[in-house]
RNA sequence: GCAUCCAUAGCUCAGCUGGAUAGAGCAACGGUUUUCUAAACCGUAGGUCAUAGGUUCGAAUCCUAUUGGGUGUACCA
């Protein structure tokens, strides 16, 4: 069952009538798609507007005359259309107030408002996908929040969603940390050092790099080129040997690997919990890195791949504007794309999903283009459901973050800084004297994380994002705390007024702002659907901001609602407030943000 | 070199499949509290939508070129 809100119904109704009008008045068939209905701009009378320029071709009249023809027809034929005015080529329609009140009573106040019908689709969202050689940084935070939110949006949009995390737990980079720890760690553990496990391992990753660089420099002094030195440094050779030992199931190496990965997982668990993200299933590359060779055989058999003289296997994508791409090394070992081919097949076999979203940075655009194209060429029907949600890098004012150069914003540090800032700001306002310690801590957490999450999610995922560590994230204006505050304020109001949901009389008079609220609040279900469709928490964030802003305007305009003596008016205003609060709460939840009852 | 993404106010960003006079927030300046939470509200100021062409009744939006930036172009992942 497709989503159908009152707003959609009336738009369809008007569109259909306009088509009919063109038929009757001008004896022409106009396609519905030519008739766009939009909100009427605030400075004009009316709520809905038809742009009539496209109709002029059919009417052979001026835009004004055409608009007037249509306006007269719509007033005569649609009950809800009470009046119209024409400004240039724009036909502004006034919709009966009773219609909007009916929408409030029967749609917005309904308990299942904002709950979309199932669309029967199964969707996988793969996100996070960390390396186990270093702690999470701000770039990972963006990935995690995006992936989580997109998954929640898809669920809210009616899909069945599986969140999965493909952990990159093996490879040369992991061996680097392991080797450095073995050489210089003196048996240091999270317990002995008090360091969080992922940070401890990350420390040795950095040490490896430092020592490796020293060796490279030494070799360069001996006359080797940069490239030679990088290849010949003893440390890298040791790391490579360790990787081979790992692949050969060397007991000692595997044990070390288990131990250090265990530390990292314990650390990640804390970070994930702080960020409020979760997964339905974990995949580990240590289990999947050998996959894909069957797929390679399949491709060879189908003639999609070809073998070079040295035995390496390739695909020629030059006809598609891409390059030739290696899919299997001459020695029969996998490359990145080999395992991704295999993993894609495995994930599909596991879940039989209709769509699969990979939340991965835009530096891998090319890789996914190739991956999806190959799967398609292999005749995988499900390949058309694959989608790379490619998000932009998080940059610092100084440029890109680099773990090895220490210019990263650490995820755990950032989270604690945000909580600390929330604490300071909240204490400065002094509104929560009666909170228990536990309530205070929960509030600081919710506000701090709310500010952070909103900050990262409000910008279009595709765009790169600038984070300036020297400027703290705002708590005022278009921010998470602003929306949280609006919610808390409404809840306080509803409590004081002992609010009970009830319909309002059909003949009540609405102020301009109240009418605007009904119109804006009524768009919520469509906002969910569109945010889910476009995989964009940003559109939801911006919508929620509009809602909060409009409420605050309304709240200031209107005399104290609690003291309102006109019962119908009081009910109307409380209903509008309550619907606003519900939308803010459930919408923010889709962003992974908790809104407090008081703050 | 080739591929690909991006360029909107001092800063950070909205602007949906082309529609009315391009909008917010921050920063700046001014105002609002005996009234339901001032993390709020109202106002002032701030723009050649990178540049040049083109398509169109109409372009920030679509097309082409140019400039400037990001990323990729590994038998790394």
């Amino acid at each position: 069952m497709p989503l159908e809100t009152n707003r959609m119904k009336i738009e369809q109704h008007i569109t259909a009538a306009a088509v009919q009008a063109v038929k009757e008045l001008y004896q022409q068939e106009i396609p519905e798609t030519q008739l766009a209905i939009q909100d009427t701009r605030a400075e004009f009378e009316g709520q809905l507007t038809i742009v009539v320029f496209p109709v002029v071709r059919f009417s052979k009249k001026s835009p004004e005359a055409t608009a007037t023809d249509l306006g007269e027809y719509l007033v005569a034929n649609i009950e809800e259309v009470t009046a119209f005015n024409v400004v240039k080529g724009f036909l502004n329609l006034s919709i009966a107030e009773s219609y909007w009140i009916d929408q409030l009573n029967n749609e917005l106040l309904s308990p299942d408002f904002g709950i979309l019908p199932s669309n029967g689709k199964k969707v996988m969202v793969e996100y996070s996908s960390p390396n186990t050689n270093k702690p999470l940084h701000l770039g990972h935070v963006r990935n995690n929040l995006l992936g989580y939110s997109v998954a929640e949006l898809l669920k809210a949009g009616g899909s069945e969603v599986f969140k999965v995390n493909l952990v990159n737990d093996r490879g040369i980079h992991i061996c680097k940390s392991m080797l450095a720890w073995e050489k210089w760690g003196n048996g240091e553990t999270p317990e002995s050092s008090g360091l969080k496990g992922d940070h401890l391992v990350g420390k040795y990753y950095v040490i490896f790099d430092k020592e490796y660089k020293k060796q490279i420099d030494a070799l360069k002094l001996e006359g080797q080129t940069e490239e030679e030195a990088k290849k010949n440094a003893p440390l890298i050779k040791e790391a490579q040997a360790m990787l081979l030992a790992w692949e050969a199931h060397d007991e000692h190496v595997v044990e070390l690997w288990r131990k250090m990965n265990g530390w990292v997982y314990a650390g990640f668990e804390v970070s994930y919990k702080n960020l409020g993200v979760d997964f339905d299933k974990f995949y580990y590359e240590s289990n999947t890195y050998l996959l894909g060779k069957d797929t390679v055989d399949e491709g060879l058999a189908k003639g999609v791949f070809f073998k070079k003289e040295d035995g390496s296997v390739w695909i020629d994508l030059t006809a598609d504007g891409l390059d030739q791409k290696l899919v299997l090394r001459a020695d029969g070992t996998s490359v990145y794309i080999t395992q991704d081919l295999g993993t894609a097949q495995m994930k599909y076999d596991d879940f039989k999903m209709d769509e699969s979203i990979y939340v991965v940075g835009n530096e891998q655009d090319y890789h996914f283009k190739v991956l999806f194209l190959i799967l398609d060429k292999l005749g995988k029907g499900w390949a058309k459901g694959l989608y790379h949600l490619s998000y932009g890098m998080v940059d610092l004012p100084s440029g890109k973050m680099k773990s090895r150069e220490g210019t990263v914003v650490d995820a755990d540090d950032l989270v604690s800084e945000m909580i600390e800032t929330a604490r300071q700001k909240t204490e400065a306002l002094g509104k929560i004297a009666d909170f228990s310690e536990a309530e205070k801590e929960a509030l600081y957490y919710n506000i701090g994380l709310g500010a952070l999450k909103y900050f990262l999610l409000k910008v279009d995922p595709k765009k790169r994002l600038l984070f300036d560590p020297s400027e703290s994230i705002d708590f005022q204006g278009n921010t998470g705390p602003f929306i949280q505050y609006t919610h808390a304020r409404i809840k306080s109001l509803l409590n004081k007024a002992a609010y009970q949901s009830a319909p309002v009389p059909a003949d009540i008079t609405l102020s301009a702002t109240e009418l605007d609220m009904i119109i804006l609040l009524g768009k919520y279900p469509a906002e969910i659907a569109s945010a889910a469709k476009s995989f964009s928490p940003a559109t939801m964030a911006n919508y929620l901001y509009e809602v909060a802003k409009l409420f605050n305007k309304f709240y200031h305009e209107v005399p104290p609602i609690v003291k309102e003596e006109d019962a119908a008016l009081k009910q109307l205003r409380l209903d509008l407030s309550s619907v606003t609060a519900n939308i803010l709460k459930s919408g923010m939840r889709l962003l992974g943000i908790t809104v407090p009852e008081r703050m």
Side-chain angles (χ1 to χ4, degrees):
Chain A
M1 184 175 73
L3 173 66
E4 194 178 46
T5 62
N6 284 1
R7 169 62 181 257
M8 294 170 179
K9 280 186 230 166
I10 193 157
E11 284 191 14
Q12 280 155 14
H13 192 176
I14 292 173
T15 306
V19 169
Q20 188 61 26
V22 171
K23 193 180 282 176
E24 289 180 22
L25 299 172
Y26 314 125
Q27 291 77 47
Q28 302 264 354
E29 284 287 344
I30 184 169
E32 281 200 11
T33 50
Q34 300 271 304
L35 293 162
I37 295 185
Q38 53 189 245
D39 288 335
T40 303
R41 290 178 67 111
E43 60 265 41
F44 304 112
E45 196 68 30
Q47 294 84 45
L48 300 180
T49 292
I50 300 179
V51 186
V52 298
F53 293 107
V55 189
V56 170
R57 252 181 44 233
F58 299 89
S59 68
K60 307 277 197 305
K61 290 185 177 180
S62 73
E64 289 82 355
T66 309
T68 305
D69 285 352
L70 281 182
E72 281 167 357
Y73 183 93
L74 293 176
V75 169
N77 288 280
I78 298 184
E79 198 187 332
E80 292 89 350
V81 179
T82 55
F84 74 93
N85 65 85
V86 176
V87 181
K88 293 192 263 179
F90 297 87
L91 171 59
N92 302 320
L93 303 173
S94 296
I95 308 299
E97 204 153 280
S98 59
Y99 168 80
W100 298 110
I101 290 165
D102 182 67
Q103 179 174 354
L104 171 65
N105 285 337
N106 294 319
E107 185 172 23
L108 304 190
L109 289 176
S110 146
D112 56 6
F113 176 63
I115 298 171
L116 276 56
S118 165
N119 60 24
K121 267 198 276 188
K122 292 203 264 186
V123 185
M124 172 178 288
V125 179
E126 180 195 300
Y127 72 104
S128 198
S129 306
N131 293 336
T132 57
N133 64 335
K134 53 176 185 274
L136 305 179
H137 61 61
L138 183 51
H140 300 115
V141 175
R142 188 179 201 191
N143 179 301
N144 279 281
L145 298 180
L146 247 184
Y148 177 85
S149 179
V150 165
E152 292 302 315
L153 284 166
L154 287 165
K155 267 192 221 174
S159 299
E160 185 185 355
V161 176
F162 315 106
K163 302 178 196 170
V164 308
N165 189 347
L166 174 56
V167 183
N168 185 346
D169 62 343
R170 52 133 248 137
I172 190 74
H173 49 293
I174 313 290
C175 290
K176 290 177 181 177
S177 303
M178 286 160 58
L179 186 63
W181 182 85
E182 207 166 45
K183 282 182 177 301
W184 298 292
N186 296 316
E188 186 179 28
T189 66
E191 292 74 31
S192 74
S193 62
L195 271 177
K196 197 162 161 280
D198 48 337
H199 290 263
L200 176 68
V201 171
K203 175 177 147 187
Y204 286 98
Y205 184 66
V206 173
I207 290 176
F208 176 94
D209 200 61
K210 215 171 66 189
E211 297 296 328
Y212 179 36
K213 281 208 172 104
K214 275 191 213 163
Q215 294 187 347
I216 293 173
D217 289 342
L219 291 175
K220 272 157 71 179
L221 283 177
E222 288 170 17
Q224 300 198 10
T225 64
E226 171 100 24
E227 217 166 286
E228 288 167 344
K230 275 186 176 169
K231 241 184 254 172
N232 295 331
L235 264 180
I236 196 71
K237 294 202 154 171
E238 276 186 81
Q240 280 159 351
M242 194 180 242
L243 180 60
L244 285 178
W246 181 89
E247 290 188 5
H249 309 292
D250 176 283
E251 210 171 295
H252 169 73
V253 171
V254 168
E255 195 195 332
L256 177 62
W257 172 75
R258 283 224 176 84
K259 176 163 69 183
M260 292 182 70
N261 270 355
W263 295 342
V264 172
Y265 294 141
F268 282 173
E269 209 175 303
V270 172
S271 302
Y272 284 151
K273 188 162 175 289
N274 279 333
L275 291 174
V277 301
D278 56 24
F279 304 94
D280 298 305
K281 185 175 173 92
F282 284 80
Y283 288 97
Y284 296 92
E285 268 191 34
S286 52
N287 295 327
T288 63
Y289 80 105
L290 294 175
L291 293 176
K293 294 185 186 177
D294 295 348
T295 314
V296 171
D297 291 340
E298 189 183 331
L300 281 169
K302 288 183 175 166
V304 176
F305 300 155
F306 66 92
K307 204 170 241 181
K308 288 198 177 171
E309 320 76 60
D310 65 358
S312 58
V313 182
W314 296 72
I315 182 164
D316 186 353
L317 298 172
T318 47
D320 298 280
L322 305 173
D323 305 316
Q324 290 201 349
K325 190 82 190 165
L326 176 92
V327 294
L328 194 69
R329 293 192 184 102
D331 63 8
T333 58
S334 301
V335 289
Y336 181 37
I337 202 149
T338 323
Q339 32 178 313
D340 264 8
L341 288 167
T343 308
Q345 181 70 59
M346 181 173 69
K347 290 198 293 188
Y348 180 73
D349 291 342
D350 285 351
F351 289 94
K352 298 281 190 298
M353 59 281 190
D354 303 289
E355 290 173 20
S356 187
I357 318 299
Y358 293 78
V359 183
V360 179
N362 63 11
E363 69 228 325
Q364 296 199 36
D365 285 354
Y366 185 75
H367 171 73
F368 282 103
K369 205 183 243 185
V370 170
L371 178 68
F372 298 164
L373 186 57
I374 292 178
L375 288 166
D376 186 52
K377 284 183 183 292
L378 288 172
K380 308 291 180 187
W382 42 268
K384 62 186 181 309
L386 303 174
Y387 181 81
H388 174 203
L389 176 49
S390 162
Y391 63 91
M393 305 276 98
V394 181
D395 289 325
L396 304 174
S398 56
K400 220 181 148 176
M401 289 192 286
K402 299 212 172 86
S403 342
R404 282 174 298 197
E405 291 170 23
T407 59
V408 288
V409 176
D410 179 75
D412 296 318
D413 291 349
L414 183 60
V415 165
S416 25
E417 280 163 28
M418 291 305 298
I419 294 172
E420 182 52 30
T421 308
R423 176 197 315 277
Q424 285 167 12
K425 293 197 189 258
T426 306
E427 280 174 356
L429 290 170
K431 294 180 182 178
I432 58 161
D434 60 326
F435 274 45
S436 72
E437 276 313 306
E439 286 170 332
K440 283 182 185 169
E441 290 309 314
L443 182 64
Y444 303 149
Y445 171 82
N446 283 333
I447 295 175
L449 269 290
L452 175 63
K453 291 182 180 185
Y454 190 89
F455 175 81
L456 292 174
L457 290 175
K458 79 170 177 186
V459 328
D460 184 338
K462 286 193 287 293
K463 297 200 172 172
R464 54 191 274 274
L465 191 135
L466 187 76
F467 176 80
D468 187 345
S470 67
E471 280 178 42
S472 54
I473 292 174
D474 275 321
F475 283 58
Q476 283 169 355
N478 187 358
T479 67
F482 168 77
I483 296 170
Q484 291 173 315
Y485 170 73
T486 305
H487 175 266
R489 201 185 211 191
I490 297 172
K491 290 322 270 267
S492 163
L493 163 66
L494 296 177
N495 282 330
K496 284 204 170 125
Y499 171 69
Q500 298 277 318
S501 172
V504 298
D507 60 351
I508 200 167
T509 304
L510 300 171
S511 75
T513 304
E514 288 158 355
L515 179 53
D516 285 346
M517 284 175 83
I518 294 176
I519 293 173
L520 184 63
L521 298 174
K523 289 179 180 170
Y524 182 54
E527 287 296 332
I528 296 174
S530 109
K533 191 178 171 196
S534 57
F535 310 118
S536 176
T539 59
M540 177 54 67
N542 285 307
Y543 169 75
L544 295 174
Y545 175 62
E546 293 295 321
V547 169
K549 209 164 49 145
L550 186 57
F551 174 82
N552 281 304
K553 176 184 155 138
F554 157 80
Y555 186 81
H556 271 263
E557 260 175 24
V558 145
I561 300 168
V562 174
K563 296 179 189 158
E564 179 58 57
E565 287 177 6
D566 181 330
L569 203 53
K570 184 173 180 180
Q571 188 65 45
L572 166 74
R573 292 179 177 163
L574 290 174
D575 280 345
L576 287 172
S577 303
S578 168
V579 173
T580 301
N582 291 341
I583 288 177
L584 294 181
K585 182 174 186 170
S586 75
M588 288 290 262
R589 193 190 61 71
L590 300 179
L591 304 181
I593 300 173
T594 304
V595 289
E597 297 292 303
R598 291 178 54 202
M599 68 185 271

